[in-house]
Amino acid sequence: MAKKEAKEEEKAAASLEEPRTNPSVEDTGMVRNSVTLSPPKPSWFTPGRLLVIFCFINLLNYVDRGAIASNGVNGSPKNCSANGTCTPGTGIQGDFDLNNFQDGVLSSAFMVGLLVASPIFASLARSVNPFRLIGVGLTVWTLAVVGCGFSFSFWMIAICRMLVGVGEASFISLAAPFIDDNAPVAKKTAWLGVFYMCLPSGYAIGYVYGGWVGHYNWRYAFWGEAILMFPFAVLGFVMKPLQLQGFAPAESKKAFTDIEIAFPEAQDRGERDDKNLNKDSRSRFKATSNNVNQFVRFFKDMKVLLSDKVFAVNVLGYIAYNFVIGAYSYWGPKAGKNIYNMNNADMIFGGITVVCGVLGTLAGGFVLDFIDSTICNAFKLLSTATFLGAAFCFGAFCLKSMYAFLALFAVGELLVFATQGPVNFICLHCVKPSIRPLSMAISTVSIHIFGDVPSSPLVGVLQDRVNNWRETALILTAILFPAAAIWFIGIFLHSVDKFSEDNEDKVSRIERSKTTPLLEDEKAETTQACAEP
């Protein structure tokens, strides 16, 4: 009996040592599943680090916008009195002898590049890693800002401002989806609120930064921005690229590496498969690079996006809202200086904007998470906060006391800025993951081309005609009421959170394992519909 057991043990050991030349489908599937379920190799980025880096980049983008609107950088035109005494101009407006309309055009010039490039970067995200696209965009931004500092005419600085918009387009379209992928489920809107908090705070810091640096030379302001952005442009190329949810990674064949290691005996067959995969990858790349296919896919996604009533209503309200905010950000310091004789309008408006913007944006995100992050609740918060904020801001401009104005205007800004997290939450969650970059791009294009791009020049024309900053500010502020009404309509639309829906490319399980967000814990899949009243 003992000898028989010993022989059986020897046979078992020998069978373990023998190579398995033809692994069964079941064994292959088990290993394939183990590869799929194993956690991806951790990146240097943690969710917190990713958020901090993106926030700093976003902050620099809006510091640039605030700086060019500041009295220090933007300056004032040459002014001649009735008796023939002339005061020389200062800043960009003085150096290039710009009127208010040209000055308003200059503030909006960067948005031309932003509008053109945003859909392009969103479409390229299907065939090029989005993280690398951000690196390309930030490089263009850095070079363009340097060019602004070396400008010698109105047209040269206008062209450089357009290129600044091209560089910003990649980041604006792709950063929010990255954050939405990696934020904790219960804090998605709060994280978006932190990211969009950089809009008002960046503008405010830009006012202060531009007012301070502009006293020395307005060109220094642009060069300082370029120095700060340069390391992040380099980072976009040297760091391990991340992948967005809903997009298959370009190098999907790497997912099979562990299977080849587990079955070295099947290496020949694996090499043949790799050749086939390489051929398929090349053919897919050629098909993707085909302009016709790109256009067809783009217009197909556009049709889906624009036919979504929730997206359309959200963006329409956002356009009216941004028309006012864009004009506030550019003309606010000048209006305050003329209406209330503020000696340090840049500092005062910058201080109010940074405090109220930060607190309001954060509060909007946390409130929506607290009451449950659904599209319906987001519309409720948008309409309520905007209506109340409009009432406070309108009342503020009716007052003659500067201190009473500042108190009411601060409350109004606090409420108005609470919209940033909810409005972008709707843009990200009313569409499938594969369309999110395009959703953010079209939203950005729309709010600028119909919002703050025309608002600055139009307010300049209005002021040239009425020559009364108080009346101009009241007319502008009244536009916030239609924005609140449009978002109120969104409450009654049937809406479904599509964040967890599969993308149209049907990413395989192995490919999906490589696109796992930075958070290792599995995120709960939720699809919530806004109840129809």
Side-chain angles (χ1 to χ4, degrees), residues 117-435:
S118 290
I120 296 174
F121 278 113
S123 298
L124 288 175
R126 292 181 175 276
S127 55
V128 182
N129 187 278
F131 200 71
R132 293 295 184 246
L133 290 176
I134 291 177
V136 172
L138 295 183
T139 301
V140 174
W141 191 97
T142 303
L143 294 175
V145 168
V146 171
C148 289
F150 285 107
S151 297
F152 53 82
S153 69
F154 166 73
W155 286 109
M156 181 176 178
I157 193 171
I159 292 172
C160 288
R161 295 305 298 170
M162 292 179 192
L163 293 176
V164 168
V166 172
E168 188 177 333
S170 66
F171 181 75
I172 293 299
S173 302
L174 302 170
F178 270 122
I179 293 173
D180 196 44
D181 277 354
N182 297 291
V185 176
K187 298 180 180 179
K188 283 185 177 293
T189 318
W191 279 43
L192 287 173
V194 171
F195 177 70
Y196 286 104
M197 169 193 74
C198 298
L199 275 67
S201 57
Y203 262 120
I205 295 172
Y207 289 152
V208 177
Y209 169 73
W212 174 60
V213 178
H215 287 301
Y216 299 97
N217 192 316
W218 61 266
R219 300 177 187 274
Y220 295 163
F222 293 114
W223 295 336
E225 293 166 9
I227 292 172
L228 293 174
M229 183 66 81
F230 179 73
F232 297 100
V234 174
L235 192 67
F237 293 102
V238 301
M239 294 305 300
K240 177 182 176 182
L242 304 176
Q243 188 68 40
L244 280 175
Q245 177 175 324
F247 293 89
E251 300 176 352
S252 60
K253 71 172 188 175
K254 291 182 180 180
F256 295 93
T257 302
D258 290 342
I259 298 175
E260 295 173 7
I261 295 174
F263 298 111
E265 295 77 15
Q267 184 174 0
D268 292 338
R269 185 180 64 185
E271 291 177 355
R272 290 194 298 271
D273 291 339
D274 283 346
K275 290 180 180 179
N276 293 332
L277 286 172
N278 288 333
K279 291 180 181 179
D280 293 337
S281 299
R282 285 195 296 270
S283 64
R284 286 196 298 270
F285 177 79
K286 290 179 181 179
T288 304
S289 63
N290 187 286
N291 291 333
V292 175
N293 291 340
Q294 287 280 13
F295 277 115
V296 170
R297 185 159 51 184
F298 173 76
F299 285 113
K300 179 181 176 182
D301 290 343
M302 282 291 295
K303 182 179 179 181
V304 173
L305 188 63
L306 296 180
S307 62
D308 191 309
K309 294 180 180 178
V310 174
F311 176 81
V313 169
N314 185 52
V315 172
L316 284 174
Y318 204 4
I319 289 170
Y321 167 90
N322 213 53
F323 186 95
V324 178
I325 298 301
Y328 270 177
S329 63
Y330 192 74
W331 295 112
K334 288 190 177 181
K337 182 178 181 180
N338 284 274
I339 297 173
Y340 297 103
N341 295 318
M342 296 180 184
N343 293 326
N344 294 314
D346 286 340
M347 300 295 181
I348 294 174
F349 267 84
I352 292 176
T353 303
V354 71
V355 174
C356 297
V358 169
L359 294 179
T361 306
L362 290 177
F366 281 107
V367 168
L368 184 57
D369 283 332
F370 178 77
I371 64 176
D372 195 8
S373 298
T374 64
I375 294 174
C376 182
N377 286 340
F379 275 124
K380 292 177 182 178
L381 185 57
L382 288 173
S383 58
T384 303
T386 304
F387 180 81
L388 294 176
F392 275 98
C393 289
F394 191 89
F397 281 110
C398 293
L399 301 175
K400 294 184 179 181
S401 170
M402 183 183 72
Y403 297 105
F405 161 78
L406 293 176
L408 262 68
F409 189 73
V411 176
E413 278 208 326
L414 189 71
L415 291 164
V416 166
F417 281 117
T419 60
Q420 290 298 319
V423 72
N424 288 285
F425 173 86
I426 295 174
C427 285
L428 290 168
H429 286 254
C430 71
V431 298
K432 295 189 295 185
S434 59
I435 309 181

Side-chain angles (χ1 to χ4, degrees), residues 491-508:
I491 299 173
F492 302 95
L493 297 176
H494 180 72
S495 53
V496 177
D497 191 329
K498 301 178 182 178
F499 176 78
S500 299
E501 289 190 11
D502 289 335
N503 65 303
E504 63 177 9
D505 296 322
K506 301 185 184 299
V507 183
S508 68

